[in-house]
Amino acid sequence: MNLITSEENKLGSVEAGYMSRPIAPGLLRACCTIAAYDLVRTFRIRRLGCILVLIGIASMMGFSQEKVSDYVAPSEAVPAGKAPKMQVQLLNPGEPAKQYAVIFYQGDEAFSGLLEFAEKCHVTSAHFTAIGALNGATLGWFDPGRKMYKTIPIAGQHEVIAMSGDIALYRGKPVVHAHMVVAGPDGTTRAGHVLAAYVSPTLEVMITVDPVAMQKRFDPETDLTLIDPALR
Amino acid sequence: MRWKQIEDEPKTFVLVFETDDEIAGVLQLFAEGQLLGGSSFKAIGALSYAKLGWFNRETKKYDEACVLDEQVELLSLIGDIALRDGKPQVHAHVVVGGSDGTAYGGHLLEARVRPTCELILTESPIHLQKKLDPESGIALIQI
């Protein structure tokens, strides 16, 4: 997913392909408006005409909001240095598996921090669970048709109810894969693939680092990097 | 609640809760009894009652997010244990699902088991310490 280099150009062209989408709603909106005025003239039902125009505009505006910026390519690089307060404690230095507590604080972006942890501690294979809370996040839903993540913006204070994920290697570099369920003030939940999570006030990640490296390979069918247990 | 240690390295316990056990309270007593101070755990099961919290940054307290006085699946319970002033402090979050699959989540305030809850807990030799964070008003793990 992250840190892919050779696929970047290809994905760039995919993004360019979607750039033309927002133009269509504008034309549709105009057509819809003209059609609605024709209705008014023909049937002289002004109120119905006004309602149709409003419905048309509203639905077209809703459609045009689904633009290219709402999608993220799986290969999008993870920004570094976004979790300056992150702290790491080795809990169990034992063999074969090591345990770490990675704790994030107010303002840290946890996904970037987890990658930083993996790089600094030379993690080649790990799994983790986490709980905490955040103020703002970007979650994703993988759209198999577009081979991109549709972004799910999470605004405001939310509990991180369940975060789980793993770390594996792609071309020698660690890649973090995490999912989370978050809950708002009424307990209703939203969930998705973690793209960014802004911690508030803390996120407690318990990581088990396993001794045998897990390798990922690029999957052209999905444009994702997938764990391949056969790779050594 | 019945429990059994299933591994020495890392020290791992299985806890099985029974009907009418209240998870938060029982787990706190277990942590104190075993002097746990650097643990993580996860569980699944089912509940007859759940009270979930949401951290309010304005009041620096947990608001009651929702109370579910009905049979729900306990879909995910994830948590950790660290020491605050030498005493184990359990921190857990839950997702529960109702009869139509709708999910609710929050900080675990109260959860009454029916008929079972299976929890796996791993304790590490190095303990974690919590200290009051004046900015958020709650005790956070400090390393």
Side-chain angles (χ1 to χ4, degrees), chain A residues 87-92 99 103 105-106 131-132 135 157 159-162 183-187 189 200-202 204 206, chain B residues 9-10 40 54-55 57 65 76 78 80 91 93-95 103-107 122 124-126 135-136 140-143:
Chain A
Q87 294 185 45
V88 177
Q89 165 86 61
L90 179 63
L91 286 174
N92 191 349
Q99 289 167 279
I103 314 293
Y105 301 95
Q106 189 72 37
I131 58 168
N135 189 2
Q157 183 74 22
E159 295 285 310
V160 177
I161 305 305
D186 59 354
T189 53
S200 169
T202 195
E204 304 158 349
M206 298 297 175
Chain B
E9 182 52 50
S40 60
W54 174 78
F55 183 67
R57 286 203 307 162
S76 161
I78 298 178
D80 54 53
H91 183 200
H93 285 187
V94 291
V95 185
Y104 293 91
H107 177 94
T122 305
S124 67
I126 298 162
E135 196 187 326
S136 64
L140 307 183
I141 296 174
Q142 300 293 338
I143 293 169

Side-chain angles (χ1 to χ4, degrees), chain A:
Chain A
M1 293 172 299
N2 321 309
L3 305 165
I4 302 171
T5 47
S6 71
E7 280 76 28
E8 266 166 12
N9 288 334
K10 187 181 154 200
L11 285 157
S13 67
V14 171
E15 276 191 43
Y18 285 118
M19 290 299 279
S20 62
R21 280 191 67 110
I23 299 165
L27 284 170
L28 282 167
R29 197 184 308 163
C31 292
C32 184
T33 311
I34 292 162
Y37 277 124
D38 278 350
L39 258 178
V40 176
R41 228 178 276 156
T42 312
F43 298 103
R44 296 174 187 276
I45 309 169
R46 282 192 183 157
R47 200 177 293 168
L48 175 67
C50 285
I51 291 166
L52 281 171
V53 169
L54 286 172
I55 290 171
I57 289 169
S59 62
M60 287 305 116
M61 280 173 77
F63 180 69
S64 67
Q65 275 169 11
E66 191 181 289
K67 56 186 181 299
V68 70
S69 61
D70 294 335
Y71 283 83
V72 175
S75 62
E76 193 131 309
V78 181
K82 296 286 182 186
K85 296 175 186 167
M86 175 179 76
Q87 294 185 45
V88 177
Q89 165 86 61
L90 179 63
L91 286 174
N92 191 349
E95 295 294 329
K98 285 185 173 63
Q99 289 167 279
Y100 289 90
V102 178
I103 314 293
F104 295 95
Y105 301 95
Q106 189 72 37
D108 282 337
E109 195 287 289
F111 191 66
S112 149
L114 284 169
L115 183 63
E116 195 180 318
F117 157 79
E119 286 167 351
K120 282 187 177 163
C121 294
H122 308 288
V123 174
T124 63
S125 169
H127 57 275
F128 56 85
T129 55
I131 58 168
L134 52 79
N135 189 2
T138 307
L139 303 181
W141 171 80
F142 186 67
D143 183 336
R146 292 188 170 187
K147 299 184 181 186
M148 290 173 105
Y149 285 102
K150 184 181 191 303
T151 58
I152 302 163
I154 304 292
Q157 183 74 22
H158 284 73
E159 295 285 310
V160 177
I161 305 305
M163 179 180 183
S164 52
D166 56 49
I167 301 171
L169 292 183
Y170 179 64
R171 294 183 177 168
K173 287 183 178 172
V175 177
V176 179
H177 184 199
H179 286 188
M180 64 163 64
V181 183
V182 299
D186 59 354
T188 51
T189 53
R190 302 186 78 194
H193 175 96
V194 180
L195 295 166
Y198 298 93
V199 173
S200 169
T202 195
L203 183 75
E204 304 158 349
V205 189
M206 298 297 175
I207 304 186
T208 302
V209 174
D210 297 302
V212 180
M214 275 197 296
Q215 302 284 351
K216 291 192 147 192
R217 64 170 171 77
F218 180 75
D219 174 40
E221 261 179 49
T222 57
D223 280 0
L224 298 171
T225 57
L226 307 180
I227 293 174
D228 185 348
L231 276 179
R232 290 271 168 252

Side-chain angles (χ1 to χ4, degrees), chain B residues 82-129:
Chain B
L83 296 174
R84 186 185 181 185
D85 302 324
K87 195 183 161 196
Q89 195 174 55
V90 176
H91 183 200
H93 285 187
V94 291
V95 185
V96 296
S99 54
D100 62 351
T102 308
Y104 293 91
H107 177 94
L108 172 66
L109 293 173
E110 214 180 314
R112 202 181 306 136
V113 173
R114 181 166 69 194
T116 192
C117 169
E118 305 146 352
L119 185 147
I120 309 280
L121 183 148
T122 305
E123 164 74 349
S124 67
I126 298 162
H127 286 173
L128 292 164
Q129 305 289 340

